[in-house]
Amino acid sequence: MRLSTVILPIYRWHEQGREVWQRAEELGFHAAYTYDHLSWRTFRDEPWFGAVPTLTAAAAVTSRVRLGTLVTSPNFRHPVTLAKDLMSLDDVSGGRVVLGIGSGGTGFDATVLGQEAWTPRERADRFAEFVALLDRLLTHGAVSERGTYYAAEEARNIPGCVQRPRLPFAVAATGPRGLGLTARYGQAWVTTGDPALFESGTPEQSRAAIRGQVERLGEACAAAGRDPGELERIMLTGFTPDRNTPLDSVDAFVDFAGRHAELGITEIVLHHPIPDSDFATDPKVFERIATEGLAQLAG
């Protein structure tokens, strides 16, 4: 089991941002991720910075912790420009970047560029084309391709990623098409549980749903001729009926992580505490979990 954190991009760099990201490395987290949105929910009218510049700054002041997005989507991204940014970020970080990627939703990002929100079918169609083209762009020096939604004309990505053949994709998916993309292109799979259970479900129901997701991931891998053991299985916490209770104490975390390890989860991601928000947890408990949690789980 690995333990990681997600730091929302809300901090002015020279006031608090630098210290928050450096502290994540000092605490021994495997990875420190950030959201890739232009605005998000209750933070829409609060400070919110860009994911790629934030991760680039974090890469410059850290040396070990892996860095990435949870998650990037096609809502306001294009594969050609995103590939160039990711290649550059992987270079600055010395090969520590992982791309969390998903199909996106219907929130603010879905219409901010002036378009109508896409239907679920169109989101799935776009996502499949987006991932396939992004894979090609990050593994080939020059790419020309014209699809239904995305095109590249002699797009150059030289010298390519530090990580070979490219930086890893962590694909967020629960449906058949998304799981198929995970099996084909992913080095990791991401889940937040079953959204339908968030408001009125129970932790037991949530774990049963995640067990089903893991089983379907295995079926998708079998259909693609791939060993599911090759994939890391990442759980972003805070969106199941447990909400933030795993951060109530070290014991609460150990119980939560142990139950999800039994389901096949290999990496738990905790939100960095944010006062007066849905992620308002005790910073001291958070740091104790970071430094003691996995040792107790192993014991």
Side-chain angles (χ1 to χ4, degrees):
M1 175 68 75
R2 292 169 170 168
L3 183 59
S4 299
T5 188
V6 59
I7 302 169
L8 269 60
I10 60 174
Y11 304 103
R12 287 190 179 276
W13 189 253
H14 294 291
E15 292 178 3
Q16 193 176 358
R18 176 197 296 263
E19 289 75 14
V20 168
W21 286 86
Q22 287 180 322
R23 185 58 177 158
E25 179 165 81
E26 291 168 0
L27 289 169
F29 283 113
H30 167 69
Y33 302 99
T34 197
Y35 286 7
D36 188 15
H37 293 284
L38 295 178
S39 60
W40 189 74
R41 298 189 185 181
T42 57
F43 295 87
R44 188 181 187 189
D45 295 316
E46 303 294 332
W48 190 275
F49 295 97
V52 172
T54 296
L55 291 170
T56 304
V61 298
T62 59
S63 61
R64 180 201 57 79
V65 67
R66 293 190 65 78
L67 303 165
T69 56
L70 276 185
V71 296
T72 294
S73 84
N75 273 347
F76 62 91
R77 296 288 189 186
H78 189 284
V80 170
T81 52
L82 178 60
K84 183 69 74 172
D85 284 348
L86 291 171
M87 182 191 72
S88 304
L89 177 58
D90 200 46
D91 182 70
V92 172
S93 70
R96 289 183 285 136
V97 175
V98 57
L99 175 70
I101 188 168
S103 63
T106 58
F108 307 127
D109 291 344
T111 56
V112 69
L113 298 184
Q115 77 271 29
E116 294 293 325
W118 302 325
T119 65
R121 172 70 178 272
E122 185 176 354
R123 283 204 307 273
D125 290 344
R126 285 178 174 270
F127 187 48
E129 193 172 300
F130 191 98
V131 172
L133 179 53
L134 190 61
D135 173 72
R136 285 201 64 203
L137 288 162
L138 290 172
T139 53
H140 294 76
V143 173
S144 292
E145 187 171 308
R146 185 163 298 277
T148 303
Y149 301 104
Y150 303 105
E153 186 66 34
E154 290 295 317
R156 295 293 200 275
N157 279 297
I158 301 170
C161 297
V162 173
Q163 300 174 86
R164 295 293 180 172
R166 60 158 166 75
L167 56 84
F169 290 178
V171 184
T174 55
R177 293 184 66 186
L179 291 173
L181 287 172
T182 307
R184 182 173 180 184
Y185 296 103
Q187 285 67 56
W189 167 72
V190 180
T191 184
T192 57
D194 184 344
L197 298 173
F198 178 63
E199 294 292 343
S200 57
T202 66
E204 293 76 18
Q205 289 173 325
S206 175
R207 290 194 295 272
I210 293 169
R211 181 181 294 108
Q213 292 173 355
V214 172
E215 291 172 353
R216 292 192 294 277
L217 176 64
E219 294 167 357
C221 287
R226 186 170 183 192
D227 178 2
E230 295 176 0
L231 289 169
E232 297 294 331
R233 293 173 291 282
I234 302 170
M235 181 174 184
L236 174 60
T237 62
F239 302 103
T240 65
D242 309 90
R243 299 182 186 246
N244 288 323
T245 56
L247 289 171
D248 286 349
S249 67
V250 175
D251 288 343
F253 166 77
V254 170
D255 179 71
F256 177 89
R259 292 178 185 274
H260 286 82
E262 292 172 356
L263 304 177
I265 298 299
T266 61
E267 182 179 338
I268 296 283
V269 183
L270 307 175
H271 284 85
H272 184 275
I274 303 173
D276 303 315
S277 76
D278 291 339
F279 310 118
T281 53
D282 186 332
K284 292 182 180 179
V285 174
F286 176 81
E287 294 206 353
R288 280 196 61 206
I289 290 170
T291 56
E292 302 173 22
L294 290 186
Q296 290 196 25
L297 181 64

